[in-house]
Amino acid sequence: MTEGLPLLKVERLCKSFGDHQVLKNIDLAIAAGEVTCIIGPSGSGKSTLLRCLNYLEVPDSGAVYLNGEPIGVRWRGDKLYQMSFNELAVQRRRMGMVFQGFHLFPHKTALENVIEGPVVVKGENKADAVHRARALLDKVGLADRADYYPHHLSGGQQQRVAIARSLAMQPELMLFDEPTSALDPELVGEVLAVMRKLAEEGMTMAVVTHEMGFAREVCSHVVFMDEGMIVEEGAPASVLGRPQHARTQAFLARLQ
Amino acid sequence: MPTKRPDIHAVRPIPVRRPTTWIGGLILLILVAAFVRLLVTNENLQWKVVALYLFNPEILTGMGRTLLLTFLAMIFGLAIGVVLAIMRLSQNPVFRAASWGWIWFFRGVPPLVQLVFWYNLALLIPTVTVGIPFGPLLWSGSTNLLITPFSAAILGLSFTESAYAAEMIRGGIQAIGIGQTEAAATLGMTRLQILRRIVLPQALKILIPPIGNDTISMLKFTSLVSVLALPDLLYSAQMIYSRTYQTIPLLIVATIWYLVLSTTLTFVEHYIETRVYGRATSPLAALVGSFKSWFRLRAFQP
């Protein structure tokens, strides 16, 4: 990593769906090893922002840099070109993503889900990939569920397999899009515990979440978004503890 | 007025009476009896002739050809259909238009017309050449040598099937949620990898019942090739009765074999379905399951 440069940088990012402007000039920087939580009311644009980071949504304008390299576009001389899907795929390998709806591959077992990326995308030797995948499943506490198909796993277990599947690609950065929002309340803890462990190991993470406890305890940086803008950001103690902005105060008060 | 009733917990309610079952059953019984009487007493059916020709080598060879045509047309049709479906869903407007045009044409022209047309292709294009357009010639041959009744039949049947299969497969692909594609994309998979490893396996699993259905349709569609004098099951029967004038018995021979084949295919399809959808643990259980799922009809209960 280039010294002094944030791992991920977002500059003047804008995105509209039809007439509705979802992101208005977003600027954001995430340093390596930092856990950034993005919070805010529904429709504030936080999921869209996360999806713009790996170009699942293509921004209308603005730029995203990973280690100083622009995402989704490429300079050739003094001309800027849009990347093709397959060029973009090479960049996407560097960012893992975990979805609200898990999206495990239903026709593959937990283990097959985890080795899919390394074997198919990186061309890793299958035996090595299986070996690493078992270690990852063990890490998320599912060593004994390796041969289960997703529909035989609980939501919490599926999400933990999804985390292992992303980690198998050895990403530089992990994106979490409301990872616990689709879970029954009693299953939220097991997923957050895995994420907490990842954070302790120094993984750089961007987490869109409604779990204020997680934001307070695990995050190093909290971003509060409303109506497509970053209203307030900083250390959790200040944003969640002593919010400066009226909209942040109102949002946090509603959660109580 | 009420006599002494038994305890409500001690008796089972008498089921709702269904008189329509009995009335309908009676009418059906009379019709079936009349039909059986026709089969037994009408001498024009000539059951002895039916029995004589049922295992005739000419008929059996024709049946083999019918099966071969069915499977080749389905394999080519599905292969082209997958490509068409992918083109139809492509971001490339040229691919989309080309696929739309193919489907429009081959779904619009009756297969019988196509068969005759392909067979007479030599009238339109007397020689087939392979080469670089407006460039050097690599190979050249007479169309009449390439277009036999068999190849004309395969072309006509598989192109028709490809148009229907394309729309069916497109539906299957679209039934797979966008989340699957997104999850695969975030792993860094290319378009082709996502299609081949994630989307198509799931789509084809959904498509097993309609593919089975199309195969049974194709089995019957192959009888059209008799217009090309291609000795399939029907044409073999026709060749025999044109010599012996035993039209009805030989048509019955063909009917029996078509029913045997389509029934067999039905069971094969249900067998695969039961296996793939994981409801059975052993081949035997799958076979039993396929019998059950074939006969079982769920009553409409509003």
Side-chain angles (χ1 to χ4, degrees), chain A residues 51 54 56 85-86 89 92-93 95 97 99 103-108 116-117 120-121 165-166 169, chain B residues 178-194 196-199 201-202 205:
Chain A
R51 290 167 58 83
N54 60 0
L56 280 185
F85 187 95
N86 292 352
R92 284 189 175 133
R93 286 167 207 175
M95 291 180 267
M97 189 166 197
F99 300 87
H103 302 324
L104 288 181
F105 306 131
H107 57 307
K108 294 177 187 293
E116 182 72 8
V120 175
V121 176
R165 177 177 68 176
S166 268
M169 290 301 286
Chain B
I178 184 75
Q180 290 290 311
T181 308
E182 287 186 349
T186 56
L187 290 179
M189 288 192 181
T190 62
R191 267 193 204 289
L192 197 65
Q193 286 169 339
I194 295 175
R196 204 166 48 82
R197 309 256 335 157
I198 306 301
V199 175
Q202 294 184 57
K205 194 171 162 181

Side-chain angles (χ1 to χ4, degrees), chain B residues 9-270:
Chain B
H9 303 292
V11 288
R12 283 191 161 277
I14 296 158
V16 176
R17 292 184 197 285
R18 303 186 187 280
T20 49
T21 310
W22 296 103
I23 298 165
L26 190 67
I27 295 171
L28 192 64
L29 197 68
I30 292 167
L31 290 175
V32 168
F35 183 63
V36 169
R37 195 180 71 159
L38 174 84
L39 290 184
V40 174
T41 60
N42 192 320
E43 287 177 359
N44 293 330
L45 287 165
Q46 302 177 63
W47 288 104
K48 279 186 183 146
V49 181
V50 172
L52 185 64
Y53 282 106
L54 196 58
F55 294 99
N56 179 293
E58 224 175 317
I59 294 285
L60 294 183
T61 315
M63 186 168 74
R65 219 166 262 129
T66 288
L67 273 176
L68 185 67
L69 277 171
T70 305
F71 288 120
L72 286 180
M74 281 309 289
I75 287 166
F76 290 134
L78 287 172
I80 302 170
V82 168
V83 176
L84 288 172
I86 293 166
M87 285 170 70
R88 196 92 177 82
L89 295 170
S90 154
Q91 286 178 333
N92 184 331
V94 180
F95 283 174
R96 279 205 306 271
S99 173
W100 181 89
W102 178 288
I103 294 167
W104 168 77
F105 185 82
F106 286 107
R107 214 162 49 160
V109 179
L112 185 54
V113 176
Q114 274 193 60
L115 290 178
V116 179
F117 180 85
W118 287 116
Y119 189 55
N120 291 300
L121 192 66
L123 298 178
L124 179 68
I125 308 165
T127 51
V128 176
T129 55
V130 179
I132 297 152
F134 309 108
L137 181 75
L138 300 176
W139 181 86
S140 160
S142 159
T143 305
N144 267 332
L145 289 176
L146 287 175
I147 297 290
T148 61
F150 194 79
S151 61
I154 291 292
L155 285 174
L157 294 174
S158 59
F159 286 179
T160 304
E161 172 59 24
S162 74
Y164 284 97
E167 287 297 90
M168 170 179 93
I169 294 166
R170 180 174 65 91
I173 290 175
Q174 284 179 318
I176 307 304
I178 184 75
Q180 290 290 311
T181 308
E182 287 186 349
T186 56
L187 290 179
M189 288 192 181
T190 62
R191 267 193 204 289
L192 197 65
Q193 286 169 339
I194 295 175
L195 202 60
R196 204 166 48 82
R197 309 256 335 157
I198 306 301
V199 175
L200 280 183
Q202 294 184 57
L204 290 179
K205 194 171 162 181
I206 300 177
L207 291 175
I208 289 169
I211 287 173
N213 206 30
D214 271 18
T215 309
I216 292 166
S217 285
M218 182 56 77
L219 176 76
K220 294 172 290 174
F221 264 127
T222 55
S223 62
L224 294 174
V225 304
S226 57
V227 295
L228 305 181
L230 176 65
D232 71 325
L233 176 52
L234 176 61
Y235 195 68
S236 302
Q238 286 177 323
M239 282 197 302
I240 296 170
Y241 73 61
S242 66
R243 293 194 301 263
T244 65
Y245 300 103
Q246 290 157 323
T247 308
I248 294 293
L250 277 144
L251 285 178
I252 288 175
V253 168
T255 304
I256 289 171
W257 282 122
Y258 277 118
L259 280 174
V260 167
L261 292 179
S262 62
T263 310
T264 309
L265 285 178
T266 307
F267 280 122
V268 169
E269 192 263 302
H270 280 264

Side-chain angles (χ1 to χ4, degrees), chain A residues 56-103:
Chain A
L56 280 185
E57 300 292 352
V58 178
D60 298 334
S61 64
V64 179
Y65 300 92
L66 184 65
N67 252 336
E69 180 188 309
I71 297 292
V73 289
R74 166 175 309 213
W75 287 106
R76 214 164 283 160
D78 57 353
K79 286 205 173 74
L80 190 65
Y81 291 91
Q82 209 176 35
M83 278 189 183
S84 72
F85 187 95
N86 292 352
E87 283 176 297
L88 193 53
V90 179
Q91 291 186 325
R92 284 189 175 133
R93 286 167 207 175
R94 301 164 58 189
M95 291 180 267
M97 189 166 197
V98 173
F99 300 87
Q100 183 176 349
F102 329 133
H103 302 324

Side-chain angles (χ1 to χ4, degrees), chain A:
Chain A
M1 184 194 147
T2 321
E3 209 49 55
L5 209 66
L7 179 64
L8 187 93
K9 192 161 181 276
V10 177
E11 270 177 7
R12 291 161 57 192
L13 201 73
C14 292
K15 174 73 183 175
S16 296
F17 292 119
D19 290 336
H20 179 56
Q21 199 178 356
V22 187
L23 297 178
K24 302 167 184 164
N25 259 324
I26 299 286
D27 285 297
L28 183 71
I30 296 176
E34 198 175 47
V35 178
T36 302
C37 279
I38 305 169
I39 60 167
S42 306
S44 58
K46 47 194 195 307
S47 278
T48 306
L49 172 60
L50 202 73
R51 290 167 58 83
C52 280
L53 299 184
N54 60 0
Y55 262 57
L56 280 185
E57 300 292 352
V58 178
D60 298 334
S61 64
V64 179
Y65 300 92
L66 184 65
N67 252 336
E69 180 188 309
I71 297 292
V73 289
R74 166 175 309 213
W75 287 106
R76 214 164 283 160
D78 57 353
K79 286 205 173 74
L80 190 65
Y81 291 91
Q82 209 176 35
M83 278 189 183
S84 72
F85 187 95
N86 292 352
E87 283 176 297
L88 193 53
V90 179
Q91 291 186 325
R92 284 189 175 133
R93 286 167 207 175
R94 301 164 58 189
M95 291 180 267
M97 189 166 197
V98 173
F99 300 87
Q100 183 176 349
F102 329 133
H103 302 324
L104 288 181
F105 306 131
H107 57 307
K108 294 177 187 293
T109 62
L111 187 76
E112 287 166 351
N113 266 276
V114 179
I115 65 169
E116 182 72 8
V119 171
V120 175
V121 176
K122 286 188 169 171
E124 205 175 302
N125 173 296
K126 194 170 172 193
D128 294 347
V130 167
H131 185 71
R132 279 205 309 118
R134 289 199 186 280
L136 283 167
L137 285 173
D138 187 40
K139 182 177 179 169
V140 298
L142 291 172
D144 56 336
R145 294 288 187 274
D147 298 324
Y148 282 54
Y149 281 92
H151 60 273
H152 287 136
L153 297 172
S154 74
Q157 291 171 333
Q158 288 188 48
Q159 193 62 300
R160 285 186 281 153
V161 174
I163 294 173
R165 177 177 68 176
S166 268
L167 290 176
M169 290 301 286
Q170 294 166 315
E172 296 165 42
L173 168 76
M174 285 283 286
L175 309 173
F176 292 85
D177 187 5
E178 303 202 26
T180 58
S181 297
L183 295 176
D184 291 336
E186 77 269 23
L187 302 177
V188 168
E190 62 191 57
V191 173
L192 291 182
V194 168
M195 291 169 63
R196 191 183 291 255
K197 196 154 77 178
L198 268 184
E200 283 162 6
E201 289 171 5
M203 173 61 77
T204 313
M205 296 159 67
V207 186
V208 170
T209 187
H210 292 289
E211 295 293 330
M212 289 307 135
F214 180 83
R216 193 171 292 116
E217 292 159 30
V218 182
C219 288
S220 45
H221 192 79
V222 175
V223 174
F224 173 71
M225 284 183 72
D226 195 16
E227 294 180 355
M229 288 180 290
I230 293 178
V231 176
E232 194 169 344
E233 62 177 312
S238 65
V239 177
L240 300 175
R242 298 177 302 279
Q244 301 301 305
H245 205 284
R247 280 197 274 180
T248 319
Q249 291 163 2
F251 173 73
L252 292 172
R254 273 205 305 276
L255 289 182
Q256 243 105 84

